[in-house]
């Protein structure tokens, strides 16, 4: 077996093809003799390792762009990516990690100055479903999660790529991204980021954040179209979660979203709701300093709003003295001029409110 | 295939604190406590639980997440995995196997203050190398190899622990190298992490990037630590150790000077192995895999040998921990926390991934007196602060860069006055070029701050996107390194002035320092030149487009 492959150096295309064949084999039920299967599986793992070395290089050699392009072209010419994703659970831990790195790298590889991974995913949307559902499988979550984040990160390609193909990339990536945001899966993240396994929950949270902060225009569009259900879920499931880490991450992310200029319309809408104000004021009262500070960065938007609806005003007026007392000894751990300035502004706003 | 073994191996530990019974506290730090506990539903298996206070972490929990992920995805007999991790209110519980003999650092300071015997060291280092070889094969750097992160179980098995500052060369911020353009620099890291005494010179000078070989350096330091009971230069405050680190080689003779017991002899093969690890040039250091074949590890004994020669009669972890807290009580706690507070005070999120902040499961043996990197309050530790800050997008702006770049050899004047004139002391230097560098770098910083599309007026690229960013970053790095160098010189001056006895050796040392700095300056010039070329090239590209 070994002699057969060693006889002449295999090209990247050969390795991809053989990997594909072995993946198909791996996907079949293990009816054949066990030791033969074992041999084939280890051959498969070796192949995936070789693909990784071609793409990343190793201590002895640098990756060769020509070889990477050949590999990438062959990879997407047929359904190797699909097979690799689908049969990932059949591989051992090391091969899974290698495969994850291979998939990550392929997202950035260009063939004829095109990111063909993006095209491939566009026409194979269901693969994203598989990746997302990976969060429900403890053993696969971190692998699929890492692949997923790479798939939705297309914009961070090398600078040359951006200079040459910016428009093309933007279009195709945004397409993928939009498709993703609007999919039903977005809702699943509200649960994934509260999974009990910390490593998985944290990975899901990182993906969630990535989805809601990268590609600004798309996010803005998503938020305005999905405002109602999204923020209803966001408030009840995340900001009012019983889980400390969920609340803390959620309030931070909320601040990041609302303070982004591209989301100003959404922000204006958000800070006009008394329910939202109530939730943020509860967060301000938390015993966790970190949550308090993050909550303040959202709360200040309510206070600074120059067109406050009457019910917002009445809540603020009713709580005027309490709020002012709270802010009186509200400090960050380190000196933060911006924070102090914001606080002074908020205090001024609230103090000037009349019933 | 390994698939079945793996599933078998993965006993699912319960993700709920109710199922664990805490027996004893075995370590404490500012943001974490380590307990010895049993997991009741799994045959009351003994576990160690590291409870990390999340309220002190950054809100995106990136560092904690990375650590948890690394501990989940690595699988090697010489690496300490986490059974699982979950949150308990504001704390993150990381459940790990209980390594009953504790860390080598704690073993050293409690029982072997003058170090271990060579055969024992050989066993420990070989097992550690196995772990390193695996890690490096995975593209992971540990970044904090030292005796306190090497744990031993009662059966003598050795595991490498604490991935709090580890990094993957595949996952790090790759914008610098311009992936996928495939230059080797894409597999380099530039942020600063680790613990000063063990830190490789290229990590301290991290603008040049460093890679797997940085761990080999720390491994070499760890070898010395095991041989002597403490790391080299630990009689100096950490920042000074950083300084000397880059300016001179470690020699075994350094120990002979410091140490009272000069009788300790080491074999040639051991010295040779350590010397190979401590080569200033990272590319000359052997890989972990290659080191395993070194003759020092031939005829290496097994884990039984450790049980007989190291573990027997050793006080338990709990006893060692209690003794250390009783003996040194309050002051220990203070020392332990002062270094952390020092970091906390600045509160710069970028620095949260440095070692001083993290508390490893076993890293609490504060009874080691000078062994512990306690940061002095004198101004010299600014060096560390500065170095440490340098890491992500947040770039130094704290000190006036103007005077900083060129005063390298003005020994007569003290600290701040070092001006451009200092450069004239140096042959064939050109002050102007240096000024240009710093000016460009500063504009770079401003550009970064504005973070507008058409950033950085000094660097006249009208374009946008990563190009400019990379350029700005490069220039900022340059500036940082110049600042660093100034800092070092200032410290050297202080050192010099502080010891006016003016021994010949000091002067020699200074001479070495000067030479080193001179070389570095040359390198910086070269880098600057390259950047300018690149800038020209980009301008051409843009104007052509």
């Amino acid at each position: 077996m070994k002699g057969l492959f060693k006889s002449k150096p295999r090209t990247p295309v050969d390795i991809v093809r053989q990997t594909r064949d072995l993946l198909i084999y791996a996907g079949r039920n293990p009816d054949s003799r066990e030791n033969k299967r074992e041999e084939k599986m280890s051959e498969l793992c070796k192949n995936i390792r070789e693909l990784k070395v071609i793409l990343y290089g190793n201590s002895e050699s640098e990756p060769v762009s020509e070889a990477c392009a050949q590999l990438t072209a062959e990879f997407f010419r047929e359904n190797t990516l699909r097979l690799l994703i689908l049969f990932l659970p059949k591989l051992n831990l090391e091969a899974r990690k290698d495969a994850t790195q291979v998939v990550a790298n392929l997202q950035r590889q260009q063939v004829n100055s095109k990111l063909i991974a993006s095209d491939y995913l566009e026409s194979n949307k269901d693969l994203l479903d598989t990746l997302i559902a990976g969060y429900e499988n403890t053993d696969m979550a971190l692998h699929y999660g890492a692949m997923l984040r790479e798939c939705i990160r297309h914009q961070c390609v090398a600078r040359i790529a951006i200079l040459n193909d910016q428009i093309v990339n933007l279009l195709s990536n945004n397409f993928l991204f939009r498709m993703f945001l609007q999919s039903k899966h977005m809702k699943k993240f509200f649960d994934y980021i509260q999974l009990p396994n910390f490593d998985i929950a944290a990975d899901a949270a990182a993906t969630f954040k990535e989805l809601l902060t990268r590609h600004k225009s798309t996010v803005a569009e998503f938020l305005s179209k999905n405002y109602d259900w999204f923020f209803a879920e966001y408030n009840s499931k995340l900001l009012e979660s019983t889980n400390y880490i969920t609340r803390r991450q959620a309030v931070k992310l909320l601040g990041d979203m609302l303070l982004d200029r591209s989301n100003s319309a959404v922000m204006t809408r958000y800070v006009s709701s008394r329910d939202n104000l109530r939730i943020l004021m509860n967060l301000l009262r938390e015993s966790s300093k970190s949550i308090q500070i993050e909550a303040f960065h959202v709360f200040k938007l309510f206070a600074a709003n120059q067109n406050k609806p009457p019910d917002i005003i009445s809540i603020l007026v009713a709580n005027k003295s309490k709020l002012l007392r709270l802010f009186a000894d509200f400090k960050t751990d380190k000196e933060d001029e911006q924070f102090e300035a914001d606080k002074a502004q908020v205090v001024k706003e609230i103090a000037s409110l009349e019933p | 295939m390994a698939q079945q073994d793996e599933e078998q191996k993965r006993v699912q530990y319960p993700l709920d604190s109710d199922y664990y019974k805490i027996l004893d506290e075995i370590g404490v730090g500012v943001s974490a406590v380590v307990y010895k506990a049993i997991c009741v539903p799994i045959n009351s298996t003994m576990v160690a639980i590291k409870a990390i206070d999340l309220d002190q972490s950054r809100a995106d929990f990136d560092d904690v997440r990375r650590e948890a992920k690394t501990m989940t995805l690595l699988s090697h007999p010489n690496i300490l995995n986490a059974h699982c991790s979950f949150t308990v209110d504001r704390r993150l519980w990381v459940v790990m196997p209980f390594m009953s003999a504790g860390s080598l650092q704690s073993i050293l300071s409690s029982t072997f203050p003058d170090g271990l015997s060579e055969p024992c060291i050989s066993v420990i280092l070989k097992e550690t190398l196995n772990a390193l070889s695996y890690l490096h094969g995975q593209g992971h750097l540990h970044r904090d190899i030292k005796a306190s992160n090497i744990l031993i179980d009662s059966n003598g098995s050795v595991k490498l622990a604490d991935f709090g500052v580890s990094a993957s060369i595949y996952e790090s911020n790759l914008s610098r190298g311009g992936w996928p353009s495939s230059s080797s620099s894409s597999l380099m890291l530039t942020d600063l992490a680790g613990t000063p005494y063990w830190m490789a010179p290229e990590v301290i000078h991290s603008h040049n990037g460093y890679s797997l070989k940085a761990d080999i350096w720390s491994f070499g330091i760890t070898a010395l630590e095991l041989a002597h009971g403490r790391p080299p230069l630990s009689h100096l405050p950490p920042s000074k150790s950083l300084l000397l680190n880059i300016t001179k080689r470690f020699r075994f003779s350094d120990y002979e000077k410091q140490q009272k017991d000069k009788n300790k002899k080491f074999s040639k093969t051991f010295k040779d192995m350590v010397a190979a690890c401590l080569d200033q040039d990272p590319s000359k250091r052997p890989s972990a895999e290659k080191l395993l074949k070194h003759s020092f590890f031939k005829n290496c004994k097994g884990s039984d040998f450790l049980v007989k020669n190291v573990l027997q009669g050793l006080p338990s972890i709990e006893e060692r921990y209690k003794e250390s807290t009783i003996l040194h009580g309050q002051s220990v706690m203070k020392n332990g926390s002062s270094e952390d507070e020092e970091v906390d005070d600045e509160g710069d999120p970028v620095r949260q991934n440095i070692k001083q902040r993290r508390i490893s499961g076993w890293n609490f043996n504060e009874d080691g007196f000078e062994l512990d990197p306690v940061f002095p309050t004198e101004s010299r530790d600014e060096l560390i602060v500065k170095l440490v800050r340098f890491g992500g997008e947040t770039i130094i702006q704290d000190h006036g860069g103007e005077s900083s770049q060129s005063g390298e050899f003005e020994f007569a004047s003290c600290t701040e006055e070092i001006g451009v004139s200092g450069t004239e002391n140096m042959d064939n230097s050109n002050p102007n070029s240096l000024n240009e560098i710093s000016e460009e770098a500063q504009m770079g910083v401003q550009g970064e701050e504005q973070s507008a599309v058409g950033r950085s007026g000094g660097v006249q690229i009208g374009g946008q996107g990563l190009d400019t960013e990379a350029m700005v970053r490069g220039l900022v790095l340059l500036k940082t390194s110049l600042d660093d160098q100034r800092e070092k010189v200032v410290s050297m001056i202080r050192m010099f002035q502080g010891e006016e006895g003016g021994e010949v050796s000091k002067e020699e040392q200074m001479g070495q320092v000067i030479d080193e700095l001179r070389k570095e300056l040359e390198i910086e010039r070269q880098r600057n030149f390259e950047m300018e070329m690149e800038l020209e090239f980009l301008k051409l590209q843009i104007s052509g487009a």
Side-chain angles (χ1 to χ4, degrees):
Chain A
M1 190 82 176
K2 248 178 200 157
L4 192 68
F5 295 123
K6 286 274 158 67
S7 57
K8 62 173 179 167
R10 294 182 302 162
T11 64
V13 173
D14 292 339
I15 301 173
V16 175
R17 285 194 185 140
Q18 208 196 337
T19 305
R20 184 168 57 230
D21 293 344
L22 287 166
L23 280 168
I24 291 168
Y25 176 86
R28 283 197 219 121
N29 285 329
D31 49 356
S32 51
R33 281 171 297 124
E34 197 51 33
N35 55 359
K36 189 183 164 210
R37 182 174 173 86
E38 210 161 286
E39 193 182 320
K40 287 217 173 198
M41 289 305 284
S42 88
E43 196 64 39
L44 173 58
C45 296
K46 245 190 278 165
N47 270 297
I48 296 173
R49 172 65 56 98
E50 278 183 59
L51 294 175
K52 181 177 118 175
V53 171
I54 293 173
L55 292 171
Y56 286 93
N58 58 22
S59 52
E60 279 103 53
S61 61
E62 301 270 299
V64 180
S65 50
E66 182 57 26
C68 293
Q70 286 172 7
L71 186 157
T72 310
E74 179 63 23
F75 214 93
F76 293 109
R77 198 175 60 77
E78 283 189 66
N79 57 353
T80 315
L81 182 66
R82 168 176 298 276
L83 294 172
L84 189 59
I85 289 175
L86 291 184
F87 299 138
L88 197 67
K90 309 259 184 195
L91 305 177
N92 66 30
L93 177 66
E94 298 308 322
R96 284 177 195 172
K97 287 189 279 184
D98 287 341
T100 303
Q101 286 167 353
V102 166
V103 171
N105 188 295
L106 286 173
Q107 303 307 315
R108 303 157 193 238
Q109 289 288 347
Q110 296 182 55
V111 178
N112 301 327
S113 58
K114 274 194 74 178
L115 286 167
I116 57 177
S118 168
D119 298 345
Y120 181 86
L121 286 170
E122 224 174 278
S123 40
N124 290 272
K125 298 169 190 153
D126 61 306
L127 285 178
L128 289 180
D129 299 354
T130 307
L131 294 180
I132 298 156
Y135 280 118
E136 290 163 34
N137 178 341
T138 311
D139 288 330
M140 302 310 300
L142 293 180
H143 307 289
Y144 281 151
M147 287 187 187
L148 179 60
R149 261 196 312 286
E150 290 299 332
C151 291
I152 60 172
R153 278 181 57 158
H154 273 294
Q155 257 176 339
C156 71
V157 287
R159 52 185 181 160
I160 300 294
I162 285 180
L163 274 182
N164 294 344
D165 296 301
Q166 204 164 21
I167 296 168
V168 177
N169 288 344
L170 273 176
L171 284 178
S172 59
N173 293 332
N174 258 332
F175 173 81
L176 252 187
F177 196 72
R178 185 173 310 136
M179 179 181 86
F180 187 89
L181 280 178
Q182 289 174 350
S183 76
K184 57 193 179 296
H185 295 300
M186 194 65 192
K187 292 188 181 175
K188 290 192 178 175
F189 275 89
F190 289 99
D191 298 321
Y192 293 158
I193 62 183
Q194 306 203 60
L195 285 168
N197 255 312
F198 173 77
D199 46 358
I200 298 174
D203 193 275
T207 308
F208 189 64
K209 181 187 171 197
E210 190 77 9
L211 283 167
L212 290 168
T213 48
R214 193 168 282 272
H215 307 314
K216 312 256 179 230
S217 58
T218 316
V219 173
E221 189 186 334
F222 165 77
L223 288 178
S224 48
K225 281 190 183 155
N226 297 275
Y227 184 94
D228 290 324
W229 76 261
F230 180 83
F231 283 108
E233 295 263 298
Y234 202 97
N235 285 349
S236 65
K237 282 198 169 159
L238 305 186
L239 293 178
E240 296 184 305
S241 163
T242 53
N243 186 331
Y244 161 82
I245 200 168
T246 304
R247 287 197 307 280
R248 177 145 168 232
Q249 282 177 302
V251 69
K252 168 84 167 70
L253 178 58
L254 179 65
D256 290 348
M257 287 192 290
L258 297 184
L259 285 163
D260 194 303
R261 206 165 293 171
S262 58
N263 294 330
S264 58
V266 172
M267 188 269 280
T268 314
R269 196 165 161 193
Y270 191 88
V271 300
S272 303
S273 147
R274 64 177 277 156
D275 271 350
N276 294 344
L277 178 60
R278 179 185 55 78
I279 289 167
L280 264 302
M281 282 170 64
N282 281 333
L283 289 169
L284 270 182
R285 289 171 42 216
E286 287 240 2
S287 57
S288 156
K289 188 93 183 172
S290 309
I291 291 183
Q292 280 191 315
I293 301 280
E294 294 301 341
F296 172 76
H297 286 302
V298 180
F299 175 82
K300 71 186 180 193
L301 299 171
F302 287 89
N305 180 9
Q306 290 310 304
N307 302 307
K308 290 189 238 348
D311 53 348
I312 295 283
I313 294 178
S314 65
I315 291 180
L316 291 177
V317 167
N319 293 283
K320 191 167 165 178
S321 59
K322 275 186 205 157
L323 283 168
L324 293 177
R325 226 178 306 137
L326 174 75
F327 290 135
D329 32 52
F330 193 40
K331 280 194 182 67
T332 50
D333 288 338
K334 59 165 183 170
E335 221 161 281
D336 183 341
E337 277 179 32
Q338 187 58 47
F339 175 81
E340 290 301 326
D342 287 353
K343 198 180 86 176
Q345 186 68 32
V346 167
V347 168
K348 204 175 122 202
E349 279 290 338
I350 292 175
S352 70
L353 289 177
E354 298 295 341
Chain B
M1 198 60 243
Q3 183 194 349
Q4 294 97 321
D5 324 341
E6 203 179 300
E7 255 135 50
Q8 213 170 23
K9 186 195 72 192
R10 282 230 163 177
V11 181
Q12 181 58 55
Y13 276 73
L15 301 167
D16 187 328
S17 59
D18 291 347
Y19 294 109
Y20 296 88
K21 195 174 152 202
I22 288 175
L23 303 178
D24 222 332
E25 191 176 296
I26 52 173
V28 68
V30 172
S31 62
V33 182
V34 181
Y35 302 105
K36 177 181 173 182
I38 53 174
C39 178
V40 180
I42 303 186
N43 308 322
S44 293
T45 309
M46 199 77 79
V47 293
I49 297 173
K50 175 172 159 184
I52 303 166
D53 182 0
L54 290 171
D55 215 37
Q56 299 180 26
S57 295
R58 290 159 69 190
D60 56 13
F61 303 108
D62 265 349
D63 44 352
V64 192
R65 174 174 66 92
R66 206 169 299 124
E67 181 178 7
K69 183 179 169 182
T70 307
M71 286 184 86
T72 308
L73 291 184
L74 293 175
S75 165
H76 187 275
N78 295 114
I79 285 177
L80 186 74
N81 279 88
H83 290 314
C84 64
S85 52
F86 52 90
T87 52
V88 182
D89 192 29
R90 281 187 210 174
R91 290 184 176 270
L92 174 66
W93 276 28
V94 182
V95 182
M96 299 174 284
F98 181 71
M99 301 288 284
S100 61
S103 87
L104 273 163
Q105 200 276 333
S106 120
I107 292 173
L108 286 174
S109 67
S110 76
T111 316
F112 299 91
D114 297 325
L116 297 166
S117 71
E118 270 195 46
C120 293
I121 295 174
S122 169
V123 180
I124 294 159
L125 289 183
K126 189 177 180 184
E127 300 293 310
T128 309
L129 268 185
N130 282 329
L132 260 189
S133 171
Y134 170 81
L135 270 181
H136 289 179
Q138 304 268 317
H140 274 287
L141 279 84
H142 184 280
R143 302 209 286 188
D144 205 11
I145 306 279
K146 54 178 179 176
S148 57
N149 283 335
I150 301 173
L151 311 181
I152 305 193
D153 205 351
S154 54
N155 63 5
S157 72
V158 175
K159 285 184 200 283
L160 186 58
D162 195 354
F163 296 85
V165 293
S166 75
S168 165
I169 55 176
Y170 296 112
E171 282 172 24
S172 62
N173 180 5
L174 287 151
S175 56
R176 207 177 113 82
W179 201 29
S181 76
S182 78
S183 85
S184 66
S185 58
S186 63
L187 296 183
M188 299 283 241
L189 295 162
T190 53
D191 56 332
L192 192 79
T195 312
Y197 299 119
W198 292 263
M199 228 181 248
E202 72 271 19
V203 179
I204 296 165
H205 273 206
S206 47
H207 55 274
N208 284 329
Y210 59 94
S211 193
L212 304 174
K213 293 294 176 63
D215 276 349
I216 300 294
W217 172 282
S218 309
F219 177 80
I221 301 290
T222 305
L224 292 178
E225 188 184 7
L226 296 179
H228 296 289
R230 56 191 180 130
L233 307 178
S234 56
H235 58 296
L236 300 172
S239 49
K240 213 183 218 175
S241 149
L242 281 183
L243 244 169
L244 295 174
N245 208 345
I246 50 162
T247 54
K248 65 177 208 180
R249 278 171 164 277
F250 284 115
R251 292 181 208 92
F252 275 80
S253 60
D254 289 341
Y255 271 103
E256 281 151 33
K257 280 179 206 145
Q258 309 168 16
Q259 290 218 329
K260 288 154 208 152
D261 62 326
K262 291 184 182 176
N263 341 342
K264 211 161 180 181
K265 290 272 189 287
F266 297 97
S267 70
K268 190 176 174 305
T269 152
F270 185 33
K271 290 180 185 175
D272 179 74
M273 194 277 292
V274 174
C277 296
L278 298 183
D279 197 306
Q280 293 282 328
D281 180 354
S283 65
K284 289 194 185 131
R285 288 172 218 152
S287 65
E289 209 173 334
K290 196 170 164 205
L291 265 181
L292 276 171
K293 297 188 187 111
H294 194 279
S295 55
F296 181 62
F297 299 111
K298 260 185 208 150
N299 310 318
C300 190
K301 306 270 199 312
S303 48
D304 299 348
F305 188 79
L306 287 185
V307 176
K308 273 191 214 120
N309 291 282
V310 178
L311 304 188
Q312 247 172 32
L314 201 67
S316 74
I317 293 188
E318 297 96 308
E319 285 162 1
R320 274 180 265 160
Y321 172 68
K322 281 192 188 110
E323 198 173 320
S324 76
T325 43
I326 290 164
L327 266 179
H328 307 290
Q330 296 275 314
S331 72
V332 166
M333 296 289 293
K334 273 210 181 112
N335 279 348
S337 60
S338 72
E339 59 179 79
D340 285 85
E341 272 160 18
E342 204 235 345
V343 174
D344 275 348
D345 281 346
E346 295 288 318
D348 186 334
V350 171
R351 284 183 291 130
Q352 297 214 350
N353 61 359
I354 60 162
K355 181 59 209 164
Q356 286 75 33
R357 252 205 79 81
R358 304 211 55 87
I359 301 299
S360 93
W362 313 86
N363 200 4
F364 303 106
N365 16 46
E366 284 95 339
D367 47 355
F369 305 112
E370 71 229 289
L371 255 185
D372 277 353
V374 176
F375 289 106
T377 42
E378 55 191 284
S379 62
R380 210 170 272 136
D381 56 359
E382 278 174 23
L383 172 58
I384 289 202
V385 172
K386 211 151 287 169
L387 280 164
V388 152
R389 168 167 312 180
F390 161 46
E393 301 289 326
T394 326
I395 308 287
I396 305 90
Q397 310 132 8
D398 51 343
H399 42 83
E402 279 304 326
S403 66
S404 66
Q405 72 282 9
S406 50
E408 307 202 324
F409 304 104
E410 177 83 55
F411 287 100
S413 87
C414 58
T415 59
E416 297 306 279
E417 270 105 303
I418 303 172
V420 179
S421 65
T423 3
E424 283 154 16
N425 292 349
M426 199 177 44
D427 37 16
N428 67 28
S429 76
N430 178 356
N432 288 336
S433 77
L434 273 169
N435 274 330
E436 274 165 33
I437 295 176
S438 111
E439 266 165 36
E440 273 188 38
Q442 283 196 326
M443 280 180 221
V445 173
Q446 285 158 11
E448 182 94 12
E449 276 166 14
Q450 288 161 7
S451 77
V453 175
R455 41 174 70 124
S456 146
V459 185
Q460 284 174 342
I461 309 176
Q464 70 277 70
L466 288 177
D467 254 344
T468 326
E469 235 168 79
M471 179 67 66
V472 168
R473 195 169 297 136
L475 291 169
V476 170
L477 289 178
L478 190 60
K479 173 175 181 288
T480 312
S481 89
L482 289 167
D483 291 344
D484 287 347
Q485 286 179 29
R486 167 179 173 266
E487 226 18 66
K488 275 167 218 145
V489 172
V490 169
S491 300
M492 285 318 249
I493 290 165
R494 283 198 200 129
M495 222 161 78
F496 200 65
Q497 286 175 333
E499 304 177 52
E500 271 173 345
E503 302 160 31
V504 186
S505 67
K506 281 278 184 243
E507 271 175 34
E508 267 174 18
Q509 213 174 328
M510 284 317 223
Q512 279 178 2
V513 174
I514 291 172
D515 283 341
E516 283 294 327
L517 289 173
R518 217 169 257 173
K519 271 180 221 151
E520 271 176 44
L521 188 67
E522 269 315 305
I523 294 168
E524 289 308 323
R525 281 224 188 89
Q526 186 63 35
R527 281 166 61 82
N528 183 47
F529 175 70
E530 278 166 14
M531 296 237 211
E532 273 173 358
M533 290 306 284
E534 204 177 340
L535 182 62
E536 279 306 315
F537 170 72
L538 289 170
K539 273 186 197 159
L540 276 177
Q541 270 206 332
I542 288 163
S543 61

